[in-house]
Structure formats: structure tokens, C-alpha cells
Amino acid sequence: MIETRNQILIAAAPSRIYGYAAPTERWPEYLPHYRYVRLRSSEGRHRIVEMGASRDGLPVHWTAEQINDPQTPEIRFRHIEGWTRGMEVVWRFEPEGTRTRVIIDHKLEFDFPIANDFFGKHIVCNFFVHNIAAKTLARIKFLAEGGS
């Protein structure tokens, strides 16, 4: 299993940050590296979203089941289509005084072990996932802390 973690400390309440993170269909409005997010279905806390982003000009796309939990708060994704099918993603929002630590954990395991070792670790997680998640967190930090 390949695991990668991105985290950032944001000077804002968890609910404010969650307000930017949960409505993924709005991400292209304020996350410049996201090309599109299409809401395929939505039923309560469960959604299916088609997502397209750019890793420094290289397009990537996937479809995920998204589960929003505003009470905890937490956001979970399970990739159901695309190269990252099977990837589990969890966003956690942990208060630290007047700030919030936002953590995004990604877990991926391909059916073939050799794919995990090279393709999963170096290409998917280190090159694409870690970079895109870092940009997402940096931009959400900017917005949640009062940027425009």
C-alpha cells in the first residue's frame, strides 16, 4: 500500500476551511489547478464527482465518491474511475488553538505489486497526488485566512 500525506496549518476555524473544501463542484472557481469538477450525483452527504486537474500543465482526471461530514468535520473520497481507482482519501480538520491543521491522507494499492512499487509510489503519489494536494491546501489556506 502506498500512502502520502499533505498537511498545512491554517489560521481559521475548521468550519471556515471546510466551507471551501466540501463543495468540490466550486473548486475550479478558486483553485486554478482544477480544470473542472462535475457533480454526477448528490444524495445527502454522498456525492459522485468527476474531477480534472493539472499538474503543472499535465492533465489528470478521475471520478470519486465523496462523503461530506460537516459535524466531525471530515471529507472522504474513494476513487471509482481512472488510473487511481481504489484510492482512499481522507481530509481531516484538527483544531490547534486559534488555528486548524488540515491533513489530507491518500492510500492507494494497485492489483499488481510492481505497479505499487514504482508507478504507484513515484508517478501517481509523489509526482501527481502530492503536488496537486499541496497546491489545493496552499490556496485554501490563502482564502480561509482572508485572501481574495
Side-chain angles (χ1 to χ4, degrees):
M1 170 137 343
I2 306 301
E3 298 179 15
T4 185
R5 172 176 280 185
N6 292 76
Q7 61 183 314
I8 196 165
L9 199 55
I10 301 176
S15 60
R16 179 169 173 80
I17 303 162
Y18 181 88
Y20 285 104
T24 50
E25 70 278 8
R26 295 197 55 213
W27 283 9
E29 295 173 30
Y30 47 82
L31 300 177
H33 56 289
Y34 267 82
R35 299 178 299 128
Y36 62 86
V37 177
R38 298 182 187 111
L39 189 58
R40 190 187 285 177
S41 69
S42 180
E43 205 171 304
R45 299 178 338 155
H46 295 76
R47 324 164 88 208
I48 303 294
V49 290
E50 296 176 28
M51 306 178 96
S54 173
R55 200 285 190 205
D56 301 324
L58 298 172
V60 293
H61 61 91
W62 63 95
T63 300
E65 175 187 30
Q66 176 182 347
I67 301 171
N68 290 337
D69 178 358
Q71 268 58 40
T72 302
E74 182 179 88
I75 305 168
R76 290 185 172 272
F77 295 91
R78 184 176 54 84
H79 291 210
I80 58 175
E81 293 176 16
W83 282 97
T84 54
R85 186 178 59 228
M87 178 178 278
E88 300 284 338
V89 183
V90 180
W91 285 59
R92 293 192 321 274
F93 306 82
E94 300 178 353
E96 291 187 13
T98 59
R99 300 181 297 176
T100 303
R101 182 168 305 279
V102 182
I103 300 166
I104 306 175
D105 285 320
H106 292 82
K107 294 180 181 180
L108 175 65
E109 186 163 11
F110 288 110
D111 291 335
F112 301 100
I114 194 161
N116 275 331
D117 294 341
F118 181 76
F119 185 71
K121 181 178 180 182
H122 298 292
I123 305 299
V124 175
C125 288
N126 292 346
F127 186 76
F128 284 104
V129 171
H130 192 73
N131 177 278
I132 291 169
K135 288 177 183 172
T136 298
L137 287 176
R139 182 68 179 158
I140 287 177
K141 174 182 173 72
F142 174 77
L143 294 167
E145 290 181 349
S148 58

